[in-house]
Amino acid sequence: MNNFNGARTSGASFSIMVRGYAGSYGAAKACMETAGVPEGTREHTWTRLRKWAGAALDKYSGAKIQPGMHTLLWNLGEETGFKVILRDIPLEQEAVEIAEALGLDVYELESAETEIALCTYPYPEDMTLIGHTCEGRDKIVFNGSVSSYLNRPGE
């Protein structure tokens, strides 16, 4: 790989693929660690989310825990520039609801059984295409019609 301008300038072009759901483990853990019902959340909704969180933690018991998707993308960007479509990253609705209720960013939360990889065609059937590598070191994220540069994780 060309360390000056990223992978693309050395003739390589890759698709960025994801397996698993971003932030589900971290959302489930945060939900179970929260005492009471968060302000602005209905009690029956929080009860449903806590039930999901308990089942998710059981499902991920013993699984390899990964940092949040934001960190995984940042680490990938150490090697190459990329363009990623945020809305294509697989999320579980319950994880999104928990993150919103607790004021967290679901893309910053830990994931379990999640993998990010650079792939070429034919793509693995059990992975989701979220973006492509590009020339240089720019880490560009598209959210609808808005594009922005990826910030360092935790900022």
Side-chain angles (χ1 to χ4, degrees):
M1 217 180 268
N2 181 324
N3 287 326
F4 181 69
N5 287 320
R8 185 76 195 270
T9 58
S10 63
S13 179
F14 299 99
S15 296
I16 302 170
M17 309 288 291
V18 172
R19 175 182 295 122
Y21 296 101
S24 291
Y25 176 81
K29 190 169 92 173
C31 179
M32 297 307 284
E33 292 173 351
T34 301
V37 178
E39 187 176 329
T41 305
R42 294 182 175 164
E43 189 171 340
H44 71 278
T45 300
W46 193 247
T47 300
R48 176 182 56 82
L49 293 173
R50 282 186 62 87
K51 182 178 178 182
W52 173 86
L57 290 177
D58 288 343
K59 177 174 86 172
Y60 295 132
S61 177
K64 181 179 178 186
I65 306 304
Q66 297 283 350
M69 186 57 63
H70 192 162
T71 300
L72 293 174
L73 286 170
W74 183 263
N75 293 344
L76 177 70
E78 294 291 323
E79 298 297 325
T80 183
F82 60 76
K83 294 179 180 179
V84 167
I85 300 172
L86 193 67
R87 293 179 181 179
D88 288 347
I89 297 173
L91 300 170
E92 290 183 285
Q93 181 62 35
E94 293 85 355
V96 173
E97 290 179 40
I98 291 167
E100 286 179 0
L102 297 176
L104 303 171
D105 181 347
V106 72
Y107 300 105
E108 292 280 348
L109 297 174
E110 295 172 310
S111 302
E113 298 179 355
T114 302
E115 178 184 355
I116 190 166
L118 298 178
C119 300
T120 58
Y121 191 81
Y123 302 134
E125 290 184 21
D126 62 339
M127 296 187 91
T128 302
L129 175 67
I130 64 167
H132 299 280
T133 60
C134 62
E135 275 189 54
R137 297 279 187 185
D138 291 343
K139 302 165 189 65
I140 302 171
V141 178
F142 294 92
N143 188 5
S145 62
V146 177
S147 67
S148 62
Y149 290 97
L150 184 69
N151 293 327
R152 289 188 185 276
E155 290 183 8

